[in-house]
Amino acid sequence: MLRRWRVPLAGLGLVLGSIAAAGTASAAPAPPHAQAAHVIGPAAHLVGPASHGTRPLIAHGGPVNAAESTNWSGYAANGGTYTKVSASWVEPTGTCSGSAKYSSFWVGLDGFSSSSVEQTGSEVDCSGRTAQYYSWYEMYPAYPVNFSNTVRPGDHFTGSVSVSGSTYTLKLADTTQGWSHTVTASLSGAANSSAEVIAEAPCCTASGGILPLAHFSPVAFSNADVDGSAIGNFSPTQIIMINNSGTPKDSISSLSGGTSFTATWLRSS
């Protein structure tokens, strides 16, 4: 699995704990996901050296509290300390045209303005003309771990990540297929400085770039909560995924009821 290890996290101890699940998890990579690291944090579209964080800006025709990223889109509560994020979503259908492409959908803590991310979610990737669906968790910068359970388009997911002290609990359930996983992991030194609900173009190519975004049908996220309250109550940043020319790769709707939004694919790169 090709990953960027350019930012060593001194003193960041990662010890995976117990996995209690109706199914199994494996750290062994399975193509085509073997090339994808789920997050390095949303890369800001800035002049000069790339950053692992984002910078709020005023998006044309969008909300005041918005930011651009080359690999993340969705909403992030930031500017405080957070202990839990949760959301539901429906696994989209992938449309594959012959080349390898990738997309993931997840909830997590950290990564918006910090160098670790604690997250779990689902995926649709393209291997040639074949769409492949699966699920995973990741305590970045450690390798992601794929769950072995069946995932199909149209499956209803619920996910959450919470922290108490240095212990993280990551939960993912496919209520359509009837399986769930609860993972506990210990991570010292994490900032817990953001809480996100995200659609992502995973990283990285051999040269360290963002992987092409798989063509996914519109993804409906709902019940997005942070610390037991609607994410909209935290004045979250709307993150807009763009390519290197500044053109959006997907569109993110406004929050409905403070908890729901839709991510719509526009282009792969």
Side-chain angles (χ1 to χ4, degrees):
M1 195 170 288
L2 300 176
R3 305 184 53 102
R4 282 201 274 195
W5 295 97
R6 299 177 184 172
V7 185
L9 302 181
L12 186 67
L14 176 62
V15 180
L16 294 181
S18 61
I19 300 176
T24 59
S26 173
H33 185 56
Q35 292 182 321
H38 288 291
V39 262
I40 52 168
H45 185 65
L46 303 176
V47 176
S51 168
H52 289 285
T54 59
R55 179 179 65 179
L57 53 85
I58 298 175
H60 178 68
V64 172
N65 197 25
E68 293 175 333
S69 167
T70 55
N71 63 324
W72 284 17
S73 61
Y75 285 89
N78 59 94
T81 301
Y82 307 94
T83 60
K84 185 176 182 179
V85 60
S86 60
S88 301
W89 65 93
V90 178
E91 181 72 5
T93 298
T95 300
C96 300
S97 59
S99 60
K101 297 180 176 67
Y102 308 83
S103 62
S104 58
F105 315 94
W106 54 267
V107 295
L109 297 173
D110 283 323
F112 183 88
S113 56
S114 57
S115 54
S116 67
V117 192
E118 307 83 43
Q119 53 182 165
T120 187
S122 65
E123 188 105 1
V124 55
D125 294 343
C126 290
S127 177
R129 295 184 179 276
T130 302
Q132 298 188 354
Y133 302 88
Y134 39 90
S135 57
W136 49 271
Y137 76 91
E138 184 173 4
M139 298 286 290
Y140 185 84
Y143 285 103
V145 177
N146 290 342
F147 298 122
S148 64
N149 307 82
T150 297
V151 175
R152 294 190 175 98
D155 285 2
H156 288 250
F157 277 94
T158 60
S160 67
V161 177
S162 59
V163 62
S164 177
S166 60
T167 300
Y168 290 84
T169 302
L170 303 92
K171 297 181 179 181
L172 187 69
D174 183 332
T175 58
T176 303
Q177 300 294 331
W179 58 259
S180 64
H181 289 270
T182 297
V183 176
T184 58
S186 180
L187 180 64
S188 61
N192 303 319
S193 58
S194 59
E196 304 93 15
V197 181
I198 296 294
E200 181 189 15
C203 171
C204 298
T205 64
S207 61
I210 305 303
L211 294 164
L213 182 66
H215 185 173
F216 56 84
S217 60
V219 181
F221 291 93
S222 61
N223 303 315
D225 289 349
V226 174
D227 292 346
S229 182
I231 194 171
N233 292 337
F234 294 83
S235 298
T237 297
Q238 184 193 64
I239 305 171
I240 302 164
M241 192 190 310
I242 60 170
N243 61 23
N244 290 332
S245 299
T247 304
K249 292 191 282 188
D250 68 352
S251 66
I252 299 297
S253 70
S254 299
L255 279 172
S256 175
T259 63
S260 302
F261 67 94
T262 299
T264 303
W265 182 91
L266 298 175
R267 55 186 50 82
S268 294
S269 58

